[in-house]
Amino acid sequence: MSIFDDKQIDLDLNGPILSFTTNPTGVGSTGVGINSTGGGTVSLTGIATATFPTSANNAGYVTYRWYEEGVGALSDSTYVTGTATTTLTLSNLITPTDDGRKFYLEADYVPSYYVTGNATNEPFNSGIGTVTVDPLIEIIAQPTSATTIADQSVTFTLDASLTNDGTDLAYQWQLDGEDVTDGTVTKSTVAEIPGTTDNRITQTWQGVEILIPANVTDIEIEAAGGAGGKGGGNGGYLAGGAGGAGIVQWFSLSTASVDRYITFVIGGKGQDGATGGHGHAHGASGVSRGGTSGNGGAGFGCGGGAGGGATGVYLGNELVINLGGGGGGGGGGLVDGVDEDGEGYVGDGTEITGTTSSISSNVTGGRGLSASQGGGGGGGGGGAGATGSGAGGIQGTNSRSGSGGKRGSSIYMTQSGLGAVSLKEGSGSNNPNSSGWGVVYYTQGQTETTTVGNVTRTTTVSGSTSKILTLSTDGPGIGYTVCASVSSATASNSPIKSDYADYRVLDSQDQSIIVIEAIGVETTATVSELDLNADEDGDVEISPASPNVDNNIFTQFYSIFAKDRDLDVEMDLYGGGSSDGSSGEGGYSRIRFTMAQNEEYVIAGLIDSINTPFVYRKGALMACVGEGGKTQSVQDTIFGGTTFRGSGGDGGGIGIAGVSGTRQGAGVGGPLIPDGQLTLQGVFGSAFGNTPLVYPGDQISSINFTGQIQTGGNGGRTIRCAKGVYWAQQGLAPCDDISGSTQFRLSDGTVVTNTTAISRGFKAGYNIMQTAGGDIGFGARGGNGATGGSGGLNASGGGGSGYQDGTVTVVDTRLGGSTEHAKVLLRMQS
């Protein structure tokens, strides 16, 4: 009997083995930022096969599912498709989210039942394919425009990053669109160019001596000898000879520490000769006279011309220059003669002699000879020394013209008792037809001048390939557009450019811009931008009633900074006081300090409850003055009105304590705190009342109804630095600066959105400016200040005190002096 039936079947008991013929490989593409669209697309491919160890009937098939490491199996979605196929496609790639994602493909063999078995190694996974998404460059902080003055450095900052936190960023700054390197660049502008002009004095001889003041420079003397006269002629006679030219010469005179006088003796022009046989011409006057001419023969010739006179120059009483005159021309005859013209000077500057000896005067030129039958001879020119005068001309004979006279010689002393004389280089001319002259020139001081022209400004560049570019220019009037290019070897958007910023260099007197942010309780400030140089009266008033500053009744702080450059400013502080007797006068002080560019200065305390200015540099109290103490007032129940009893004490200026009010029981003035000696432990004045917020180490003064002062008085004491509320909660110490460039924050930490990001340190909300002592009975409170005045016992209060931290220059400070609401005046230092 057979237990089992034998049946023929097709099932292959040995299943296939899975393997991948194509494994996914890493792919890369570009991406977009988070929450953006338009990113790149990549595909990963894997192909598996089933291999049988025997020649089985492969009736099954392979299925696929894509997996992501750390995620698991994938399903198709908006940007992921093909998750159950051999090809996975990822689209809209995001950087850095999609960078580094790892995928693999799982293959599974599905057998044909009753034909093949399952694969022996299923499911089978492929290798890993990694997706790489190129990072993007993102600019975190753009450069901002800057205005400055000459020789002051400013910086432009660009901060960028890669979305994958890579570090291969490179920076290249540009000026006016051109790459720059560390070093210098130049640019031209039209500007006023300062200079000086010599005060050049000219004094022409007018017949009196000329003063040369002590210590004048560049002294020059110009002088000329007289020309010779023309010989007689015409009317049937030949023309007479021309007169010779006298010498013209320029000299330099040395500077001296004493006054000196110059006197000219001017050589005259020689007289022209007469026509016909008339009398001779007389020689011209001068320090040496010209020679007289000769007569012409009657009916045969004319008279000669007289010689020109020599010009002398006296320095004090000493003759130092003798300039020869020209010779007279010969008289004309009836027929030609010889040497008709008088001898003269060419004027090349070489026809004069220097000497160390004294110079003679009153040497007359030679006389021309008279003719019996011809023209007379010309007179000789006046000159220097016995042989220095020119010889006279000879007469003409046989009806011929006479000859001309000779020129007089010229000479000067190189050294006299009152100074050295020298020829001015390149000078020398002649005087052909006039009497001589004399002129003195010298320079006495200088006058400042300005001219308009092209100037070149040099800008020093550093940090041209870093995040921070530093520029400094040696003069005003130029500017550049500034930007930076950021590049990366891996970023898909490389390179990218920053925003453009402006760089401008002004004259130090052009603009002095301050920005005033009037801050109240809202998240926006009222912002004013003012030019201290442009203000008509030179003062910018900062107060709730200010005509200069846009503000409102809720303003608590005025945050001020210099916009373009450091400014040397002067500030007047007025504590609150009155002129009607309702309080004492507030303290007054005038201070000077340098307001650093883009650094915070805060004026607080101008509200009614404080009524005296507290000025902070960042977080530190820089200066304050005292408010006047209040005066006790009594209402008249019969006749109406208010009666003031006694007077509130005056507040003190910087370095001055407040004073007590008048009448018995009046409050005492706030005591003086020496410069820089405030601490971080403060005391609220008793007028402040109870508060739930008193920091450890601080106190509130209480009122002693016996009128005695408790623990320093019922007035309080302010603190060295503002502690604030929000910043205290952040753990920032009172005197520490706030890190980086920041906007102003209210006491609860809310950012005042339209304030400027600058260097800050002021901490709003807790600063103990409320230092006034409270009143007792029907008295009046004291004044606020560095220390507050105490309140009165049925009487007036004492004034608050002033203070400074030692960083300002105090120009003026007074007890009292302010009779209005608290305010501050700001101006440029003069």
Side-chain angles (χ1 to χ4, degrees), residues 574-601:
Y574 291 86
S578 75
S579 58
D580 62 3
S582 60
S583 73
E585 294 182 352
Y588 166 81
S589 290
R590 174 171 290 179
I591 62 176
R592 289 180 173 178
F593 60 95
T594 297
M595 183 177 287
Q597 181 184 7
N598 292 329
E599 183 174 277
E600 173 188 56
Y601 296 80

Side-chain angles (χ1 to χ4, degrees), residues 269-617:
K269 178 182 179 300
Q271 184 179 5
D272 292 340
T275 298
H278 295 282
H280 57 268
H282 296 285
S285 61
V287 69
S288 295
R289 295 182 62 88
T292 301
S293 67
N295 294 325
F300 296 99
C302 304
T311 293
V313 182
Y314 287 84
L315 184 57
N317 295 320
E318 190 171 14
L319 179 63
V320 294
I321 300 171
N322 192 328
L323 299 180
L334 293 175
V335 296
D336 289 339
V338 294
D339 298 325
E340 295 176 351
D341 294 340
E343 184 183 25
Y345 284 87
V346 174
D348 60 3
T350 63
E351 300 165 311
I352 184 170
T353 303
T355 182
T356 56
S357 303
S358 59
I359 301 173
S360 301
S361 60
N362 296 323
V363 180
T364 304
R367 183 184 182 107
L369 300 179
S370 298
S372 57
Q373 291 183 354
T387 61
S389 295
I394 61 174
Q395 79 281 13
T397 59
N398 297 324
S399 300
R400 297 180 182 278
S401 299
S403 61
K406 302 297 184 181
R407 71 185 187 190
S409 62
S410 297
I411 197 169
Y412 69 98
M413 289 182 62
T414 56
Q415 184 65 50
S416 71
L418 292 177
V421 179
S422 59
L423 287 177
K424 187 170 172 53
E425 185 177 352
S427 69
S429 184
N430 57 47
N431 171 26
N433 51 21
S434 68
S435 295
W437 62 82
V439 185
V440 175
Y441 309 90
Y442 56 82
T443 297
Q444 189 172 33
Q446 293 181 321
T447 300
E448 292 186 358
T449 61
T450 56
T451 57
V452 177
N454 288 324
V455 294
T456 298
R457 304 301 191 201
T458 299
T459 299
T460 301
V461 180
S462 62
S464 59
T465 56
S466 69
K467 290 185 177 182
I468 300 176
L469 174 73
T470 302
L471 301 177
S472 175
T473 303
D474 63 359
I478 64 104
Y480 290 96
T481 56
V482 180
C483 74
S485 175
V486 189
S487 59
S488 165
T490 58
S492 60
N493 62 340
S494 177
I496 64 172
K497 279 192 175 183
S498 71
D499 292 346
Y500 284 94
D502 289 327
Y503 170 68
R504 295 290 179 266
V505 185
L506 303 178
D507 186 271
S508 60
Q509 300 304 314
D510 283 348
Q511 287 184 316
S512 298
I513 301 295
I514 60 169
V515 177
I516 303 177
E517 301 165 337
I519 300 168
V521 296
E522 302 295 331
T523 58
T524 58
T526 302
V527 180
S528 306
E529 188 171 297
L530 302 173
D531 182 359
L532 294 183
N533 282 338
D535 193 81
E536 292 182 358
D537 62 2
D539 291 334
V540 171
E541 180 179 327
I542 302 170
S543 74
S546 169
N548 304 99
V549 180
D550 294 329
N551 54 31
N552 57 63
I553 60 174
F554 300 108
T555 297
Q556 295 180 319
F557 308 107
Y558 297 89
S559 177
I560 305 172
F561 65 92
K563 181 180 179 182
D564 301 323
R565 59 188 177 90
D566 294 352
L567 300 179
D568 294 327
V569 298
E570 185 173 82
M571 180 180 284
D572 292 347
L573 281 65
Y574 291 86
S578 75
S579 58
D580 62 3
S582 60
S583 73
E585 294 182 352
Y588 166 81
S589 290
R590 174 171 290 179
I591 62 176
R592 289 180 173 178
F593 60 95
T594 297
M595 183 177 287
Q597 181 184 7
N598 292 329
E599 183 174 277
E600 173 188 56
Y601 296 80
V602 172
I603 299 173
L606 300 186
I607 57 178
D608 288 340
S609 60
I610 309 296
N611 201 25
T612 195
F614 285 71
V615 183
Y616 294 83
R617 178 188 280 116

Side-chain angles (χ1 to χ4, degrees), residues 60-303:
Y61 58 93
V62 177
T63 61
Y64 296 95
R65 175 63 60 184
W66 286 94
Y67 285 76
E68 180 177 359
E69 278 193 352
V71 175
L74 302 179
S75 299
D76 283 9
S77 60
T78 303
Y79 301 119
V80 180
T81 59
T83 57
T85 71
T86 57
T87 300
L88 175 69
T89 299
L90 306 176
S91 59
N92 192 42
L93 294 177
I94 304 296
T95 177
T97 307
D98 291 330
D99 184 45
R101 294 174 68 181
K102 299 180 183 296
F103 301 90
Y104 62 90
L105 181 61
E106 183 179 273
D108 188 16
Y109 183 77
V110 179
S112 176
Y113 291 105
Y114 308 112
V115 178
T116 57
N118 283 325
T120 58
N121 61 339
E122 68 176 21
F124 188 68
N125 293 338
S126 70
I128 300 295
T130 302
V131 174
T132 302
V133 182
D134 292 341
L136 296 176
I137 300 172
E138 294 182 332
I139 293 181
I140 301 169
Q142 298 279 3
T144 57
S145 296
T147 304
T148 186
I149 60 174
D151 297 318
Q152 181 166 316
S153 296
V154 296
T155 58
F156 296 86
T157 301
L158 176 69
D159 193 7
S161 66
L162 288 170
T163 53
N164 66 351
D165 296 327
T167 59
D168 68 323
L169 287 175
Y171 296 84
Q172 176 59 63
W173 288 92
Q174 296 179 336
L175 298 181
D176 288 350
E178 299 291 334
D179 290 351
V180 292
T181 58
D182 288 3
T184 59
V185 293
T186 59
K187 195 171 191 177
S188 294
T189 186
V190 176
E192 289 188 346
I193 305 170
T196 57
T197 299
D198 290 343
N199 293 329
R200 194 68 172 155
I201 308 300
T202 300
Q203 297 202 59
T204 303
W205 172 252
Q206 301 294 335
V208 296
E209 60 187 6
I210 295 175
L211 169 65
I212 302 178
N215 302 315
V216 297
T217 59
D218 300 325
I219 306 168
E220 296 181 3
I221 300 169
E222 176 189 345
K230 176 185 175 182
N234 294 324
Y237 298 93
L238 296 174
I247 190 172
V248 178
Q249 191 62 54
W250 285 262
F251 301 88
S252 295
L253 177 63
S254 60
T255 297
S257 59
V258 296
D259 291 347
R260 293 170 293 178
Y261 291 89
I262 279 188
T263 304
F264 291 95
V265 179
I266 300 299
K269 178 182 179 300
Q271 184 179 5
D272 292 340
T275 298
H278 295 282
H280 57 268
H282 296 285
S285 61
V287 69
S288 295
R289 295 182 62 88
T292 301
S293 67
N295 294 325
F300 296 99
C302 304

Side-chain angles (χ1 to χ4, degrees), residues 614-616 619-624 673 676-685 694-699 716-725 728 733-735 762-771 785-788 803-805:
F614 285 71
V615 183
Y616 294 83
L621 178 62
M622 193 167 64
C624 69
I673 303 292
Q677 297 302 305
L678 277 172
T679 69
L680 289 176
Q681 285 74 50
V683 180
F684 287 98
V694 177
Y695 288 173
D698 298 331
Q699 306 175 47
R717 182 183 67 251
T718 192
I719 49 180
R720 184 170 78 244
C721 299
K723 296 180 179 179
V725 177
C735 297
F762 184 77
K763 304 161 189 73
Y766 191 101
N767 37 38
I768 311 187
M769 294 181 293
Q770 306 89 341
T771 59
T787 57
Y803 172 79
Q804 70 123 333
D805 64 355

